[in-house]
Amino acid sequence: MGSVKVQNLVKKYDKATALKGVDLDIKEGEFYALLGPSGCGKTTTMRCIAGFEKPTSGEILIGDKVVNNVPANRRNCGMVFQSYALFPHYNVFENVAYSLNIRDLYSGSMGQRAKTFARLMSRRLSKPTKEIQRKVHDALEYVELGHLAERGVNELSGGQQQRVALARALVMEPSVLLMDEPLSNLDKKLRNTMRTTIRRIQQDLKITTIFVTHDQEEAMSMADHVAVMRDGEIVQMATPTELYSSPKDPFVADFVGSSNIYEGQVMETNAQGNPIVKITDNIHLVSDTRTDKKDVKVLVRPEGIEILRKGSTVKSENVVEAKVKISTYLGPTIRYDLELEGMDVMVEEEFQPNTTLYAEGDTVSVHLPMERVVLI
Amino acid sequence: MSNENKPKGQNSKLGDWFRTFDSLKIMKWSVYLFFFLFLVLPLFSVFLVSFTGQPVNILGSLVNPDIMATNIERLSNASLEHYQSLLGGGTYFYALRNSLGLAISVSILVILLCLPLAYAFARTTMPFKKTLAALCTIPLIVPTFISAAGFIIMFGRTGWVNTIYQSLGFDGLLINAYSMTSIVLIQVFFFFPFALWPMVAAFKIADMSLEEASNNMGSKNWTTMFFVTFPLAIPGIISAALLIFTVSFSDFGTPIILAPDGLNLIVVEAYREISGFFNWAGASILTIVMVAVAAIFFWLQRYITKNKDYGTLSGKPKGMRLNDSKWVTRSLLVYTCLILLIPMFVLLSVLVQSFATTWGADFLPRGFTIAHYATVFTRSGDNIMNSLLLAGGALLISMIVATLVSYFVVREKTSKLDFMSSIPLIVPGIALGIAYIQTFNTAPLQLTGTAFLLIVAYAIRRMPYMIRSTMGTMMAIKSDIEEAAVNLGASKLVAIITVVGPLMLPGIAAGSILVFVTVIKETSITVLMAPADWAPMSLMVFQNLLRGEVYTASAMAMLIIVLVIILQTLANKITKNSLY
């Protein structure tokens, strides 16, 4: 019922091509994030799934049904808009009840339909049915807004509006929940709370969710799967951990976290069959990424680099000397900007209370463990 | 859409078309049909009739081959012969010449009259600005045929102004009410607000820094005003003049009451051709000429304002230095009051007459009574009711059409509809009336003489104003609110009705009141098209004036004015937009 498949989706506008063949395979109950910079096509993909845009070619399946020709109002996709798109002329209750009222408008006897229509036009004309009342209150309780049902939506804070939008989408029991940058209008603290709330609800209801964002932290912390998009194409689809540890592409590597990226050539393989990469004449690193390529990009995450202190076990390989340029204390971590034969190296080290911080100008030995040296 | 996935490949196009053929599309086509039937078709058939000289029944041709044959024969005999009287020496030539002369002199006089006024409102600290600005809108409220009637009370053979004039020892009349002069005066003093506010805007926009530069270089204030301020405001002034030209050229109320027998004006001529002689050819030619002239001037005006960016006109421009010289502000105050005094006197004359027992060649009436109002309410209750019903009907039609048009234009960028719905701006009322009467004179759509056609004519004529009002609110509604409704299961039409509609309500309400007001004031279409059993208040005033029942006419006129003021105030309250 709730799986979503997108096959070779292409969307062309008069001049530009927004999507150049997007494939997605989202399992039922999965939390899927579309991640990418603005203009990469992530929102267009979502709007095609919701039915607001007509794809130029390609197919969209919800469940096992092709929905290309199903109008947006019959796709049963609940959507949370970036701006929330709450109806300003309705109060919280009426906003959430909207989809239920619309459902009643299309079914039932003429008398009931007339009543429903009257209710949609003004709350004074007709009272909501028992069933609607129950469902709306459940949905509002779920997002912890039960007490605000009679408020006008413009009297709510940003976070509360967001919850109303979520409840409004959930109350229709959608087969897919679509969220378009839902957290981008909230402040940082609220964003963290909402992240947990959304994730909790998603896990509770086991609802297939597609989440569009440009914030890698959001995508990585919430989603089961992340698709990174660029220029109308999907660059990589993977779990957050995979994406972080073995990005397919420097763009992905850079997008999903800060990283040191260098050019290098594979020179030979060592006894274990691991490639040895030359970065400069003096720096050769062993990596455990097997590759056939000769020219490679070498990616080392800042927290993957270890600064060797006196007394620590001496490593045989991947140890180099570097000079401290800047040291920044960030609270839980310390960041060192090092210089290594004219190249910048970023290192992030966990802060331990009893260690001394290195100062500018100090020379340190750093170890780049082979499993953290990723070749792309 | 990849066809290979569909079993019936060749049918898919038709299938798609049917699938997407939702209620919204039906609405769109209905709106198109409405404009085609009641705007494009009438204007087009008038165009044809101006060549054939005989009615051309386009709709009939579509359903009946016999009518088609007759029409084709008539069309094959089409010629330019009817246009000959437009040439030098013809009656229409003089009518056009007089009308152009009238419109040109009114435009020039209005601009001259407004220059100090606009300067006073835009650039000085003249006292009582707000009050005076409010008073300046009053002339626009009064239907012109009522102002004309008021003018007769003042300058008629026994008018009180002429009475005073004669008692001062002069001979004859100060001004003859039934003359070109009085038509010009009425139009100047009742149309000037149309030009005033654009001119105020033009004066405000003129670049202050240039003026300061001029002053720095040693120019005196007044030199700066004449050589820098005025020239900078010229595009705005020209645009205002063109607007006045169109308004004056299409005005029917003033000339029909005041034009003397010897004075041919195109609107009056057209009215007589159609309602007096049923001269199809003549009426159509005059209609075409009127539309053409109005269109040219309308286009010119658009063209001039197009390149002007008034978008920066939010609030006061930075560093605006207002002239606060006592001598200047006080003389401008006196001037403004003098200008306003004339429309006020006209209105006052109507008011006094509505309470007068008899008012002959004296300064004041012989006695006062409320009998005329009693008569109006007892005898003409139906007319009041008719006015309200007709205006209500027109309001309903324009409300629905305008809401849909704004929706399609804003959301679906349907520029064709935008263009079509602005056509009524260039069609003078009398021209629209003639086009309607000719087009809907025979089967299959025989509507001439029905209240329905009158209502449609009102609605079409005021459609642009309604659309301007609804379009503004429509643009303020973000499209994702509507998408949210669709996402929650509503079809587009249901989304429009339940979400877009209620959010557009303020715009719709304001527009509706304006439509209602203008319909109640409307003269040309009413006089031409109103069926006897549906006579509205304005027609009643008009007929009473022609019959010489001036006192009841005045009472009824006052009623219209009061109604209009109340509704207009209401509309302003709703939109909360002030002119200054």
Side-chain angles (χ1 to χ4, degrees), chain A residues 155-193:
Chain A
E155 301 164 33
L156 304 181
S157 70
Q160 289 167 334
Q161 291 185 348
Q162 163 82 80
R163 282 160 200 264
V164 175
L166 189 59
R168 187 178 68 175
L170 288 174
V171 81
M172 65 192 281
E173 293 162 22
S175 29
V176 188
L177 181 64
L178 304 174
M179 307 182 96
D180 184 7
E181 307 244 4
L183 306 179
S184 61
N185 288 339
L186 301 178
D187 63 55
K188 195 163 189 250
K189 215 169 163 187
L190 208 52
R191 214 178 305 173
N192 286 335
T193 342

Side-chain angles (χ1 to χ4, degrees), chain A residues 128-300:
Chain A
T129 60
K130 283 263 146 36
E131 196 202 348
I132 289 182
Q133 283 189 9
R134 183 178 56 76
K135 281 190 173 171
V136 172
H137 279 296
D138 286 354
L140 284 175
E141 284 305 331
Y142 213 72
V143 295
E144 293 150 12
L145 282 182
H147 56 295
L148 296 179
E150 302 304 318
R151 285 278 181 91
V153 288
N154 290 327
E155 301 164 33
L156 304 181
S157 70
Q160 289 167 334
Q161 291 185 348
Q162 163 82 80
R163 282 160 200 264
V164 175
L166 189 59
R168 187 178 68 175
L170 288 174
V171 81
M172 65 192 281
E173 293 162 22
S175 29
V176 188
L177 181 64
L178 304 174
M179 307 182 96
D180 184 7
E181 307 244 4
L183 306 179
S184 61
N185 288 339
L186 301 178
D187 63 55
K188 195 163 189 250
K189 215 169 163 187
L190 208 52
R191 214 178 305 173
N192 286 335
T193 342
M194 274 316 287
R195 243 189 241 174
T196 352
T197 313
I198 292 173
R199 181 67 188 168
R200 168 179 62 83
I201 291 173
Q202 195 271 334
Q203 290 294 306
D204 269 12
L205 300 174
K206 287 279 165 236
I207 183 172
T208 316
T209 303
I210 304 177
F211 187 97
V212 160
T213 180
H214 65 270
D215 182 334
Q216 51 94 16
E217 211 181 304
E218 239 168 67
M220 306 287 266
S221 63
M222 294 165 80
D224 302 320
H225 262 88
V226 179
V228 182
M229 290 186 74
R230 181 183 50 180
D231 295 338
E233 282 171 312
I234 291 182
V235 193
Q236 188 172 5
M237 274 184 283
T239 61
T241 44
E242 255 173 52
L243 209 59
Y244 192 77
S245 57
S246 44
K248 262 197 205 162
D249 183 275
F251 169 79
V252 177
D254 203 43
F255 204 79
V256 298
S258 48
S259 44
N260 301 298
I261 299 176
Y262 310 101
E263 309 268 338
Q265 285 99 38
V266 178
M267 305 304 289
E268 53 187 326
T269 49
N270 67 7
Q272 288 81 40
N274 288 330
I276 299 173
V277 194
K278 183 184 106 175
I279 293 169
T280 67
D281 286 342
N282 295 324
I283 304 173
H284 292 73
L285 296 175
V286 182
S287 162
D288 75 344
T289 318
R290 303 290 166 99
T291 177
D292 298 332
K293 284 194 284 188
K294 185 157 176 1
D295 291 313
V296 289
K297 294 259 191 325
V298 182
L299 161 78
V300 194

Side-chain angles (χ1 to χ4, degrees), chain B residues 118-125 129 199-212 215 229 232-233 312-324:
Chain B
Y119 180 78
F121 279 110
R123 292 305 187 89
T124 69
T125 56
K129 245 196 216 177
M199 282 172 69
V200 169
F203 274 144
K204 276 186 176 167
I205 216 163
D207 194 345
M208 276 306 294
S209 51
L210 286 176
E211 291 177 24
E212 269 160 22
N215 280 342
T229 312
L232 282 172
T312 49
L313 251 182
S314 55
K316 283 175 194 150
K318 261 181 283 170
M320 175 71 81
R321 195 180 49 83
L322 299 175
N323 189 339
D324 55 1

